Amino acid sequence: MSKRLISIVVVFMMAASLFTGCLSSSKTPEPAKPAAQAPASSAPAPASNTAPTAKKVIKISNGVNEQHPTYLAAKKFAEIVNQKTNGKFDVQVYANAQLGDDVKATEAVKMGTLEMVIPSASPLVGIDNDLNVLDLPFLFPNEKAADAVLDGPTGTKIAKKLEDANIKLLAYYENGFRNITNSVREIKSPADLKGLKIRTMENSIHLAAFKAMGANPTPMPFSELFTAMQQKTIDGQENPVPTIFLSKFNEVQKYCTLTGHVYGPHLLLINKKLYDSLTADEKKIFDDAAAESKKFQRQTNRDMNKNYVAELRKAGMTVTELTQEQKKAFQDAVAPVYTQFEEKIGKALIDEVKAEIEKNK
Ligand code: TK8
């Protein structure tokens, strides 16, 4: 590990531990009780005369911290699998990109040197071109439409391309609607973004959209973001409210505008070869645990998305809500991006997603 990476990890760990202290005194919803507190499994303990077989360790990497719904849901997934497989598997969850950023950790899952990962979809478009469709700005009007697309045949189709890269999607968790924060001024129109250096994910549609809105976008991995804002090498970033609050971005960012410009999922991914090697019963346990943890994840994320706007304001951040008319100015500014990327994404897929949204919004 480079010195720089080590220092970033240390800073994140310190931030996380400080934050844990803070949380206990705030009105943060209680994280769900681990499955260990659920009624004990009725399955018999392994017979004592059989030699203990080594547990198969499954590591799940994710880039957010231990308070994030994605991490909490991964823990839930782990507990369910560990319990229901009677200790055959030891699923472990790692936060804060300890096992690599979204791209690196996903590459590791592809290679089979890491078992599972929960990245954003946006930086994975190099692996699955179909994921690009989700990055079109202002595509999803609400979470209901996003659920319908992702949980339906279109979501299955989009995820299918990952299998060519030896990666299987177990569930679409939610990252959520992304909002712009910055340390310079309140943003009410694209003109206010002019010249601001905004970190985006490593995704060409996001870059194009922010250029179209007048900003000066710079891609970088999530784990470098806090330090970059603190050192003011960038002015701002964009992420959903739960991430902004839980990552304490309000400590280095004064303004937040609820643009909701892109809806992003977090993808619960497993090495396909590993998944294929499971017995039918084990596959069902993994699938069910994915479905159950997804339900919990989305609900927790949506609750936090509602509740944390007030928390951000309490913490001194200026949170700006846009009128319909103000929002339209942002939508108009990014409209050319649709034509620009139509060929790359494929008109048929864009139309399919739009039709699904129309039916389900
Ligand atoms: C965490 C990322 C994060 C995403 C980003 O690994 O990079 O801004 O929103 O949640 O996936």
Side-chain angles (χ1 to χ4, degrees):
M1 237 196 293
S2 73
K3 274 207 183 122
R4 186 168 154 69
L5 193 54
I6 292 172
S7 61
I8 289 168
V9 169
V10 168
V11 167
F12 262 80
M13 284 167 64
M14 283 167 59
S17 62
L18 275 176
F19 188 61
T20 316
C22 265
L23 263 188
S24 48
S25 61
S26 78
K27 292 199 189 68
T28 309
E30 275 278 291
K33 286 278 170 280
Q37 313 240 332
S41 159
S42 55
S48 54
N49 59 351
T50 49
T53 41
K55 288 186 180 197
K56 165 82 183 135
V57 172
I58 293 185
K59 293 183 179 167
I60 309 181
S61 169
N62 70 166
V64 283
N65 66 25
E66 289 91 344
Q67 281 77 37
H68 195 283
T70 293
Y71 176 86
L72 300 175
K75 287 293 272 189
K76 200 175 187 65
F77 172 88
E79 279 150 9
I80 296 171
V81 170
N82 291 346
Q83 190 192 23
K84 290 205 178 149
T85 57
N86 296 321
K88 175 169 172 186
F89 294 96
D90 177 12
V91 185
Q92 306 169 354
V93 190
Y94 292 81
N96 295 316
Q98 286 170 71
L99 304 182
D101 283 306
D102 285 4
V103 174
K104 276 204 191 118
T106 307
E107 285 295 331
V109 168
K110 180 177 154 185
M111 302 306 291
T113 51
L114 174 67
E115 294 79 22
M116 292 184 68
V117 62
I118 320 177
S120 284
S122 309
L124 304 192
V125 290
I127 298 176
D128 178 350
N129 187 63
D130 282 356
L131 290 170
N132 270 307
V133 71
L134 307 176
D135 294 305
L136 287 169
F138 301 105
L139 179 67
F140 291 105
N142 51 42
E143 286 116 355
K144 184 171 167 269
D147 288 355
V149 170
L150 298 174
D151 294 340
T154 311
T156 308
K157 193 162 94 183
I158 292 171
K160 201 87 194 152
K161 293 270 168 73
L162 287 168
E163 299 193 6
D164 299 338
N166 194 29
I167 295 170
K168 180 172 167 65
L169 178 131
L170 290 177
Y172 286 100
Y173 284 179
E174 172 172 281
N175 195 5
F177 283 100
R178 305 180 73 88
N179 307 298
I180 304 170
T181 70
N182 84 98
S183 59
V184 179
R185 57 180 168 258
E186 186 179 9
I187 308 291
K188 288 180 173 165
S189 73
D192 296 328
L193 273 169
K194 187 138 191 64
L196 292 187
K197 214 166 169 191
I198 304 288
R199 175 269 179 179
T200 69
M201 289 189 278
E202 296 150 292
N203 177 285
S204 53
I205 300 182
H206 290 211
L207 284 167
F210 274 84
K211 272 189 200 137
M213 290 189 276
N216 180 6
T218 338
M220 72 174 70
F222 184 74
S223 63
E224 293 174 21
L225 182 50
F226 190 92
T227 312
M229 292 189 290
Q230 193 171 40
Q231 296 178 344
K232 296 217 179 334
T233 51
I234 54 167
D235 299 312
Q237 63 88 44
E238 41 88 57
N239 251 296
V241 165
T243 300
I244 294 169
F245 179 70
L246 295 171
S247 307
K248 298 190 134 199
F249 288 172
N250 53 285
E251 289 188 350
V252 287
Q253 300 275 276
K254 172 77 181 144
Y255 305 98
C256 176
T257 299
L258 302 178
T259 44
H261 51 276
V262 168
Y263 176 89
H266 270 155
L267 312 177
L268 182 66
L269 305 176
I270 186 165
N271 174 272
K272 184 169 181 296
K273 214 169 141 205
L274 166 63
Y275 182 83
D276 290 344
S277 75
L278 301 175
T279 67
D281 285 350
E282 287 163 1
K283 280 191 183 116
K284 185 165 173 0
I285 290 171
F286 277 63
D287 293 348
D288 290 350
E292 193 175 328
S293 63
K294 172 182 84 177
K295 229 168 105 194
F296 161 80
Q297 198 277 347
R298 286 185 184 167
Q299 193 52 55
T300 311
N301 202 57
R302 284 164 198 181
D303 290 345
M304 288 183 178
N305 199 41
K306 259 192 227 122
N307 299 335
Y308 287 170
V309 171
E311 296 295 323
L312 286 173
R313 286 188 173 128
K314 246 188 257 167
M317 207 176 201
T318 303
V319 183
T320 307
E321 288 172 61
L322 298 175
T323 63
Q324 289 282 23
E325 207 179 309
Q326 285 172 325
K327 196 159 180 174
K328 181 150 188 314
F330 286 92
Q331 288 168 330
D332 290 347
V334 298
V337 172
Y338 276 71
T339 354
Q340 199 182 332
F341 286 90
E342 186 178 278
E343 207 188 331
K344 186 179 168 76
I345 302 168
K347 189 170 185 316
L349 182 59
I350 299 175
D351 289 346
E352 181 179 328
V353 172
K354 279 184 176 168
E356 282 289 309
I357 290 171
E358 269 315 300
K359 266 194 288 174
N360 291 288
K361 68 183 183 185

